[in-house]
Amino acid sequence: MASASSLRCAVGALATLGLLAGCGRTVAEPVTLADLEGRSLQLTLTDVDSLERDSTVGAHRVTVVFSAGSTCARLAEGVTATLNGQPMKLEPGGVPDTGVGGREVCEPPRATFDFDPAQWRDEPTEDLRVILQDATHSVLLVLHDAKAKRSFLRSSGAPDTLRRGQTYTYVWLPESDTLQGTVEASLIPINGRPAAALPVRQEGNSAQVEVPGGTVESKYILRLSGTAPAEVLTCTGVARCTGGLFHSEDVEVSVTP
């Protein structure tokens, strides 16, 4: 006969999670795409050109992820995902089997695609088209002109030199994007000292970055980063779609008088 404590554990797990669970172990509910029709889908494009972490996994990645629901969901077999006709890596979600103890966290279903920044830089800008489908349902998300390599273009002067007390303009490209909020700028000393944030004035897609007069003459990494929303052209098969574009860029610079 089951003990009172084991019964309390089982009932508590089921009541809290709303899904099949063993005592002390959450089991995700297998779902089809049709079961996720009421959730939202978010696309994030990450475009990070880092001199400190040149080969970081996920630095140039498109990710689509379903929102959380009332139960922990894991996609059943048979789901495919593509980005502009190319296969994406599908992560069905659920509770990862880490093989260790501790608190279990439900991960929502998602799909990722690591793009080649050099290839995207050479190719024309175009819409991003994500399709997820199985035997029960299909999901389509199209973002306007989102397939593009992001960059900051300095409007004048030598790109590797900054003078103390001067202000420099960096323009976010492509122009079809609209920046959200203010660009962040910082100087990271090559010698490993803490980074210093720089004052920025924003005018549309142009960021005016000021180099304070008291900045020490030396070599630095100038890091610029910003975020732009993506325009959703088509969203079918889910309740809602959103898109965001993040770009960060490092430039080796020398600060001079």
Side-chain angles (χ1 to χ4, degrees):
M1 180 175 179
S3 68
S5 62
S6 64
L7 287 173
R8 283 196 301 270
C9 179
V11 173
L14 288 170
T16 301
L17 297 170
L19 47 84
L20 180 64
C23 185
R25 176 65 181 171
T26 302
V27 179
E29 176 182 331
V31 298
T32 64
L33 284 177
D35 296 322
L36 301 179
E37 188 175 13
R39 300 195 185 189
S40 61
L41 189 67
Q42 180 181 25
L43 182 146
T44 302
L45 188 152
T46 303
D47 182 0
V48 177
D49 300 326
S50 174
L51 294 177
E52 292 187 315
R53 302 175 299 277
D54 186 48
S55 59
T56 300
V57 174
H60 301 95
R61 173 173 289 180
V62 175
T63 302
V64 290
V65 58
F66 285 91
S67 62
S70 59
T71 61
C72 184
R74 178 179 176 84
L75 283 174
E77 296 290 334
V79 179
T80 61
T82 60
L83 178 76
N84 287 33
Q86 300 184 63
M88 303 181 74
K89 178 183 177 182
L90 191 68
E91 300 176 16
V95 181
D97 185 7
T98 61
V100 298
R103 182 179 179 183
E104 295 172 340
V105 177
C106 181
E107 297 181 351
R110 69 182 60 212
T112 60
F113 180 86
D114 290 322
F115 63 90
D116 181 345
Q119 180 180 346
W120 276 29
R121 185 180 292 110
D122 294 337
E123 293 176 345
T125 298
E126 60 181 352
D127 298 342
L128 270 184
R129 184 182 183 90
V130 175
I131 300 176
L132 298 102
Q133 57 187 1
D134 61 11
T136 69
H137 195 61
S138 63
V139 176
L140 172 62
L141 168 60
V142 182
L143 300 180
H144 177 62
D145 281 352
K147 181 183 175 295
K149 179 70 183 74
R150 270 75 199 176
S151 63
F152 286 100
L153 176 65
R154 183 163 151 177
S155 62
S156 63
D160 59 351
T161 301
L162 300 175
R163 294 188 179 277
R164 294 187 300 182
Q166 298 296 309
T167 298
Y168 300 88
T169 299
Y170 293 86
V171 181
W172 170 292
L173 297 175
E175 295 179 349
S176 55
D177 292 344
T178 301
L179 275 176
Q180 186 175 57
T182 303
V183 166
E184 295 185 358
S186 60
L187 283 177
I188 305 171
I190 297 295
N191 59 18
R193 292 180 180 177
L198 300 179
V200 178
R201 296 194 307 275
Q202 195 77 30
E203 295 182 3
N205 277 15
S206 297
Q208 298 178 357
V209 179
E210 178 186 344
V211 182
T215 305
V216 176
E217 298 174 36
S218 185
K219 293 186 179 296
Y220 296 85
I221 291 176
L222 171 64
R223 178 164 296 165
L224 304 166
S225 62
T227 302
E231 180 186 353
V232 178
L233 294 179
T234 304
C235 176
T236 61
V238 289
R240 181 171 178 263
C241 298
T242 58
L245 315 167
F246 173 78
H247 175 61
S248 178
E249 181 175 322
D250 289 353
V251 183
E252 289 185 350
V253 296
S254 296
V255 172
T256 63

